[in-house]
Amino acid sequence: MKQTFKILTIVVCVFLIRLTLSCCRCREELVNFDFNTILIENLDNSTWRPIQAHTNSMLSTAVAFEIHISDSTIREIHFMAHQRTSFGFPSAMAMQPCECGSIFELNNEITKLAILTLEDISPQTPAGTDITQRFLWGKEREYLYQPMDSLLVNLNTPFIAFSPNKSMRVFYMDTVMTSQAQFVVEFQYADGQILSDTTNLIQITQSN
Amino acid sequence: MRSLVLNAIGFFVLIMGPLETYSQKMIEDIKISTWYGTREITCANFPATSNLDFMEYLDANSEYPEDDYAGLATRIKFKGNWEADLRFTVNSGWRPSGFTVKVNHFPFKYLGLSAGIFGYPYYINAFDLYHTSRDLEYYTDIRHYSTHKQRLVSDIGIFTGLVIPLHFKFLHSILQLNGGISSFSKFSESFGQKRINSNLKRDIFYDTKNSFSWFLMPEAVVYIDLIKMKNLRFGIQTQMSWYTTNKYVNYQRTISTWTSNNPVVEQIKNPKHPLKKFEFNVGTYFRW
């Protein structure tokens, strides 16, 4: 009985070692890129959470956009990690194949993010005013907003993903007092290049 | 919780053997009792103020008997006029609804001293209604997506008091006048609000403090030995207790608007609410 127990213990240990070491391990490759494409979508933030807006109208106190930036020259990169092999029973291995992403790092650091208004939106904010600091962005897993300075840090930090794209939601803190608004968003690189896009012309409805 | 009670019963059964071994040396009397009873809790409410008062949402003042409960206790009488008393109670859903651990010493035949610790859980219900009814231009709590907040807090206290034992043949009574200090357990709650038709978001964070308050708790136990077989006695008992105190919940309130930078921090002191808890139960016991 004792011998049987010892043999069983050894067999189970071998099985467990095989099972544990058979989990995959990603060796993410470093991919350098630059954001070269930008798309700005309207957000409807009038209710309890922001959703994509399919019209060009917003409430005066709920002006918000989602900005998508990507490197269009790089498609999705998936690596299949090999399951580890070891001594032990070959049937003891992880069932799911391992898909690994890549580490994406910017070639050129983004040194400035600017949001300018193309229209007068209040007596204090005429057309051409840099209103970046009057915007905040929504970070994942954080309830409150974050200041725009932290967005630059976020964009310049290498990240693991299947493709080099980032999305960020930005929210205007002030009230737009005019009947329409339009903004330009500019990302300025360290080498002086600028990636920019303009929002649609937004029809503003005054909130009560 | 059912397993905890069963384990407690098992523990008592297990200790009966070893206790028997030592009983002749140290233990004069062991009493194990079970009972069934009701509690009634009343808590005075005050008009709403500009600050959330958690006491206004304490689960009390029901139109029906507040809480049916069952209990299990063991009392061990040691030589040298010392007693140890341990009680657990569970409510109708087998959830724990209190405990008391007490030590009595009788330097005199008809007068003793007691000291102990107790715990009792209270529910604080639907306190989100405070913000729902006041902050009409906001969604009350989009962070937790909750519409009915509930919180369980424990009232933990220590006490001391006088004990008057009265015994006449098969009739026994214990009168106690206990007094002490207790406090609700500390807790934190938050509300993630968003203004309707606006980008504005704010986070309201409540961090409560210890809320020590004095209390009085007179108790009365009457038990009758019905059957006596050698050293074993079986009987019935009834117990009553009155718990009266003034409870309050103070807290630090932190309001962060738009971002977590520059929060507004305030220390809030709320009024004291008279709180009374009356318990009554009947049951049976064995003692030897």
Side-chain angles (χ1 to χ4, degrees):
Chain A
M1 193 64 194
K2 264 190 180 175
Q3 231 174 1
T4 311
F5 178 73
K6 281 181 187 172
I7 293 168
L8 270 175
T9 306
I10 293 167
V11 167
V12 167
C13 284
V14 167
F15 174 83
L16 286 175
I17 290 169
R18 170 74 185 198
L19 186 67
T20 305
L21 295 182
S22 69
C23 296
C24 67
R25 187 175 180 179
C26 285
R27 292 190 199 91
E28 295 91 358
E29 289 197 7
L30 184 67
V31 177
N32 291 106
F33 75 103
D34 284 303
F35 292 116
N36 56 24
T37 307
I38 180 171
L39 171 69
I40 303 176
E41 292 179 322
N42 298 337
L43 285 178
D44 176 4
N45 199 27
S46 58
T47 59
W48 57 280
R49 68 178 180 93
I51 56 174
Q52 216 174 49
H54 299 289
T55 65
N56 287 322
S57 61
M58 290 184 189
L59 291 174
S60 58
T61 50
V63 172
F65 303 97
E66 186 159 22
I67 304 168
H68 307 276
I69 49 176
S70 61
D71 185 335
S72 58
T73 64
I74 300 175
R75 292 192 176 184
E76 283 200 1
I77 304 173
H78 295 253
F79 291 106
M80 301 300 289
H82 295 289
Q83 290 146 355
R84 293 188 184 188
T85 56
S86 175
F87 60 89
F89 302 102
S91 58
M93 62 175 66
M95 293 302 292
Q96 293 289 334
C98 295
E99 270 190 293
C100 300
S102 303
I103 301 176
F104 290 98
E105 189 175 41
L106 281 171
N107 285 318
N108 275 307
E109 187 186 345
I110 298 174
T111 55
K112 187 181 176 186
L113 164 61
I115 303 177
L116 293 88
T117 175
L118 296 176
E119 302 275 333
D120 294 343
I121 55 175
S122 74
Q124 298 82 24
T125 315
T129 307
D130 185 338
I131 53 169
T132 312
Q133 298 308 315
R134 301 310 302 161
F135 273 88
L136 298 168
W137 71 286
K139 191 176 178 184
E140 225 175 285
R141 287 186 289 274
E142 295 280 345
Y143 173 68
L144 292 173
Y145 303 116
Q146 308 291 317
M148 295 299 276
D149 295 339
S150 62
L151 179 55
L152 265 185
V153 175
N154 181 277
L155 290 173
N156 287 318
T157 302
F159 58 96
I160 297 173
F162 294 125
S163 61
N165 59 57
K166 283 229 170 185
S167 296
M168 63 225 77
R169 291 178 165 182
V170 295
F171 304 86
Y172 188 53
M173 285 195 288
D174 297 332
T175 302
V176 174
M177 295 183 181
T178 53
S179 61
Q180 57 187 32
Q182 193 171 24
F183 308 92
V184 60
V185 178
E186 294 180 348
F187 294 89
Q188 186 170 318
Y189 283 100
D191 61 0
Q193 288 190 64
I194 293 177
L195 175 69
S196 71
D197 195 13
T198 307
T199 69
N200 295 331
L201 184 65
I202 307 297
Q203 302 304 315
I204 300 294
T205 306
Q206 294 300 316
S207 304
N208 294 334
Chain B
M1 206 56 253
R2 186 176 299 180
S3 62
L4 180 62
V5 173
L6 291 174
N7 285 334
I9 294 171
F11 171 74
F12 289 134
V13 169
L14 279 173
I15 65 171
M16 276 169 67
L19 276 178
E20 202 167 348
T21 307
Y22 293 108
S23 62
Q24 290 180 350
K25 294 181 184 173
M26 285 179 60
I27 297 173
E28 284 186 357
D29 188 76
I30 299 173
K31 176 173 170 247
I32 295 179
S33 55
T34 64
W35 64 82
Y36 179 80
T38 64
R39 291 188 179 105
E40 187 179 354
I41 301 172
T42 57
C43 182
N45 287 334
F46 300 137
T49 65
S50 58
N51 301 311
L52 169 59
D53 187 351
F54 288 101
M55 286 300 299
E56 295 290 335
Y57 302 93
L58 197 75
D59 192 14
N61 304 330
S62 302
E63 291 175 0
Y64 48 87
E66 177 64 31
D67 198 8
D68 295 352
Y69 70 102
L72 176 70
T74 182
R75 187 217 63 200
I76 302 172
K77 197 182 277 188
F78 299 96
K79 286 187 177 171
N81 300 321
W82 287 91
E83 281 182 9
D85 194 325
L86 177 63
R87 298 182 201 177
F88 289 105
T89 61
V90 294
N91 64 15
S92 54
W94 287 89
R95 288 190 301 271
S97 65
F99 75 92
T100 306
V101 178
K102 197 181 344 180
V103 172
N104 298 327
H105 177 55
F106 298 92
F108 307 105
K109 187 178 178 183
Y110 296 111
L111 185 64
L113 298 167
S114 75
I117 182 170
F118 78 92
Y120 181 76
Y122 289 91
Y123 279 104
I124 300 178
N125 293 325
F127 49 90
D128 53 296
L129 287 175
Y130 172 81
H131 284 291
T132 305
S133 61
R134 292 176 67 88
D135 302 331
L136 298 174
E137 70 275 26
Y138 287 89
Y139 296 105
T140 294
D141 190 12
I142 66 170
R143 183 211 280 262
H144 303 108
Y145 305 109
S146 61
T147 55
H148 181 94
K149 278 185 176 280
Q150 186 182 61
R151 158 69 61 171
L152 184 67
V153 295
S154 298
D155 185 21
I156 308 286
I158 54 173
F159 60 87
T160 184
L162 298 173
V163 188
I164 301 173
L166 300 167
H167 304 282
F168 180 70
K169 293 186 181 177
F170 55 85
L171 191 62
H172 314 272
S173 81
I174 312 276
L175 304 175
Q176 283 197 291
L177 180 60
N178 301 312
I181 191 166
S182 69
S183 171
F184 283 139
S185 51
K186 294 196 284 187
F187 62 91
S188 300
E189 284 291 343
S190 66
F191 293 88
Q193 293 187 324
K194 180 185 178 292
R195 186 177 279 170
I196 300 169
N197 294 334
S198 172
N199 288 331
L200 191 147
K201 281 205 269 189
R202 69 181 183 186
D203 191 34
I204 305 176
F205 185 75
Y206 294 95
D207 191 17
T208 68
K209 302 175 181 303
N210 281 323
S211 50
F212 294 106
S213 51
W214 298 103
F215 67 87
L216 272 178
M217 190 168 63
E219 291 182 298
V221 180
V222 175
Y223 56 101
I224 304 170
D225 296 334
L226 293 179
I227 299 170
K228 182 180 175 182
M229 289 185 302
K230 289 187 182 177
N231 287 335
L232 183 67
R233 288 175 175 81
F234 169 82
I236 56 174
Q237 70 174 33
T238 180
Q239 301 178 103
M240 284 170 283
S241 73
W242 296 263
Y243 175 75
T244 179
T245 183
N246 289 315
K247 280 289 191 199
Y248 59 97
V249 179
N250 295 341
Y251 51 78
Q252 174 175 289
R253 181 177 62 202
T254 304
I255 301 178
S256 302
T257 307
W258 291 107
T259 70
S260 55
N261 303 332
N262 304 316
V264 175
V265 181
E266 296 169 278
Q267 307 297 331
I268 305 297
K269 289 188 175 178
N270 279 313
K272 295 183 181 181
H273 294 247
L275 173 71
K276 294 178 177 28
K277 176 159 61 84
F278 171 69
E279 295 183 327
F280 173 78
N281 62 72
V282 292
T284 59
Y285 65 88
F286 283 99
R287 67 187 187 101
W288 65 98

